[in-house]
């Protein structure tokens, strides 16, 4: 059932075809009266050709919480963004609900892809056309501009210190981080009256997505396959530190905390930027060892066999093999998020994330 305080509110999720976007859309489905899902490409209505079915419900009952696909959107095109937002606002107004929040998960998140096509990455990762279109469509209908949740990254830090907080100077060492710094700066210029928040996430973990599969191997799946299926050791970096966070934990913070506390009541958050990492600072070797422990299921000999396939290496090697500068320690202090926004939030430990992803 939809919570009474949310029963007349809706949210939009841009990038709903991606990994995190699916988790956020599904979380919103149980909270908002309407969830408008926008993928990166147009999809045929009721397309069952791939055997997976259409995961976006169509329901004319305005009291029923449903997820509705309003078409694909190109966040670099003003026309495309206006069309998508117009479809969402037309449906919302017809049903008597208010679009309170837009969550943007669309991104070029591969550091290598950003290096190869920095202009394309910048246009997607700093989606000024999407912000402008959202403001334009809302105002044309006499509505408040919705609260905007923008995903950023720990790659905005240079990696020279552990547990950076939001006060640490941004100094990205690769194109991906640079596009996200540009995004953070542009959003502050473009969006109305501080009605936004920027969340810097770390590596995102979790099981396969809830709505439709993604065409890539997830990080912990890669680690598991390296330990269980390969004969030769795989390199994991001992000096590259992150604070991995589960997709489910991000979804709860975005939908339940920012949605209910700021988006719906139209209240500004105490800060505009928050780190959003998990509770554990771990390197890639730590991550691989945690996977080995879980996969062994208490069998010490098997755990040792899996651990023998972990070859410790330096992130200097990573920079060379990937062709992308790798910041060595972009672990984050996320205590401000807990203190200001979600005091009862208890994100999964990395060991719990491994279990959640590989169970």
């Amino acid at each position: 059932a939809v919570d009474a305080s949310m029963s007349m509110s809706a949210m939009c999720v841009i990038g709903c075809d991606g990994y995190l976007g699916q988790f956020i859309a599904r979380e919103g489905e149980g909270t908002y009266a309407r969830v408008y899902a926008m993928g990166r490409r147009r999809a045929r209505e009721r397309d069952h050709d791939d055997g997976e079915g259409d995961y976006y419900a169509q329901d004319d009952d305005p009291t029923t919480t449903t997820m509705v696909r309003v078409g694909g959107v190109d966040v670099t095109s003003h026309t495309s963004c206006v069309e998508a937002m117009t479809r969402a606002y037309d449906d919302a107004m017809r049903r008597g609900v208010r679009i309170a929040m837009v969550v943007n998960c669309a991104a070029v998140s591969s550091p290598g892809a950003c290096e190869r096509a920095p202009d394309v990455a910048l246009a997607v990762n700093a989606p000024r056309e999407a912000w402008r279109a959202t403001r334009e469509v809302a105002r044309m209908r006499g509505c408040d501009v919705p609260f905007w949740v923008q995903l950023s990254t720990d790659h905005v830090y240079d990696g020279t210190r552990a547990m950076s907080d939001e006060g640490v100077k941004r100094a990205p060492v690769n194109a991906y981080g640079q596009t996200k710094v540009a995004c953070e700066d542009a959003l502050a210029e473009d969006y109305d009256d501080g009605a936004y928040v920027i969340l810097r996430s770390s590596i995102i973990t979790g099981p396969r997505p809830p709505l439709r599969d993604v065409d890539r191997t997830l990080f912990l799946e890669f680690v598991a396959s390296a330990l269980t299926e390969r004969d030769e050791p795989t390199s994991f970096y001992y000096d590259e530190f992150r604070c991995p966070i589960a997709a489910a934990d991000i979804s709860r913070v975005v939908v339940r905390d920012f949605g209910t506390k700021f988006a719906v009541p139209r209240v500004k958050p105490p800060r505009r930027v928050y780190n959003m990492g998990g509770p554990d600072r771990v390197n890639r070797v730590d991550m691989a060892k945690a996977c080995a422990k879980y996969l062994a299921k208490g069998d010490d000999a098997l755990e040792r066999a899996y651990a023998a396939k972990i070859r410790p290496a330096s992130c200097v090697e990573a920079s060379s093999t990937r062709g992308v500068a790798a910041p060595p320690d972009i672990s984050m202090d996320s205590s401000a998020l807990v203190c200001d926004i979600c005091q009862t939030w208890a994100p999964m430990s990395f060991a719990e994330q491994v279990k959640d992803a590989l169970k």
Side-chain angles (χ1 to χ4, degrees), residues 1-11 27-36 59 61-68 91-92 95-100 264:
V2 178
D3 185 90
S5 65
M6 311 292 282
S7 62
M8 299 304 293
S9 298
M11 68 179 291
E27 184 75 27
E29 190 179 19
T31 307
Y32 282 87
R34 211 70 168 162
V35 175
Y36 297 105
D59 194 326
D61 179 0
T63 67
T64 300
T65 300
T66 54
M67 190 186 309
V68 179
D91 182 84
R95 295 173 181 278
V97 298
R98 176 176 68 90
I99 295 178
V264 171

Side-chain angles (χ1 to χ4, degrees), residues 143-211:
C143 300
D144 291 330
V145 175
F147 188 80
W148 190 281
V149 178
Q150 178 66 51
L151 273 294
S152 188
T153 177
D154 50 6
H155 277 257
V156 301
Y157 301 116
D158 64 8
T160 59
R161 57 175 290 169
M163 302 303 289
S164 293
D165 62 24
E166 295 85 351
V168 172
K169 181 180 179 181
R170 301 169 303 168
V173 299
N174 55 43
Y176 175 48
Q178 290 161 7
T179 63
K180 286 298 191 177
V181 167
C183 171
E184 294 182 5
D185 292 344
L187 183 57
E189 296 174 4
D190 288 359
Y191 214 66
D192 282 48
D193 195 28
Y196 69 87
V197 71
I198 295 164
L199 302 175
R200 295 173 179 163
S201 75
S202 184
I203 293 175
I204 299 172
T205 69
R208 300 307 294 182
L211 303 177

Side-chain angles (χ1 to χ4, degrees), residues 27-198:
E27 184 75 27
E29 190 179 19
T31 307
Y32 282 87
R34 211 70 168 162
V35 175
Y36 297 105
M38 302 176 185
R40 64 181 177 275
R41 55 186 179 275
R42 295 186 185 278
R44 292 166 291 178
E45 292 291 331
R46 298 296 181 186
D47 179 5
H48 297 278
D49 292 346
D50 60 4
E52 295 179 275
D54 184 358
Y55 53 89
Y56 300 105
Q58 299 289 345
D59 194 326
D60 289 330
D61 179 0
T63 67
T64 300
T65 300
T66 54
M67 190 186 309
V68 179
R69 180 150 192 155
V70 292
V73 60
D74 175 1
V75 296
T76 69
S77 164
H78 185 75
T79 299
S80 176
C81 293
V82 167
E83 289 175 352
M85 284 297 171
T86 296
R87 288 190 290 271
Y89 269 89
D90 286 350
D91 182 84
M93 296 186 76
R94 179 168 66 89
R95 295 173 181 278
V97 298
R98 176 176 68 90
I99 295 178
M101 181 165 70
V102 179
V103 183
N104 181 33
C105 300
V108 179
S109 57
S110 163
C114 292
E115 295 291 340
R116 291 189 295 272
D119 292 341
V120 172
L122 178 61
V124 174
N125 290 349
R128 305 187 87 151
E129 297 303 335
W131 303 329
R132 291 166 180 164
T134 301
R135 294 166 55 218
E136 178 182 319
V137 173
R139 287 171 172 170
M140 285 178 61
R141 282 154 178 75
C143 300
D144 291 330
V145 175
F147 188 80
W148 190 281
V149 178
Q150 178 66 51
L151 273 294
S152 188
T153 177
D154 50 6
H155 277 257
V156 301
Y157 301 116
D158 64 8
T160 59
R161 57 175 290 169
M163 302 303 289
S164 293
D165 62 24
E166 295 85 351
V168 172
K169 181 180 179 181
R170 301 169 303 168
V173 299
N174 55 43
Y176 175 48
Q178 290 161 7
T179 63
K180 286 298 191 177
V181 167
C183 171
E184 294 182 5
D185 292 344
L187 183 57
E189 296 174 4
D190 288 359
Y191 214 66
D192 282 48
D193 195 28
Y196 69 87
V197 71
I198 295 164

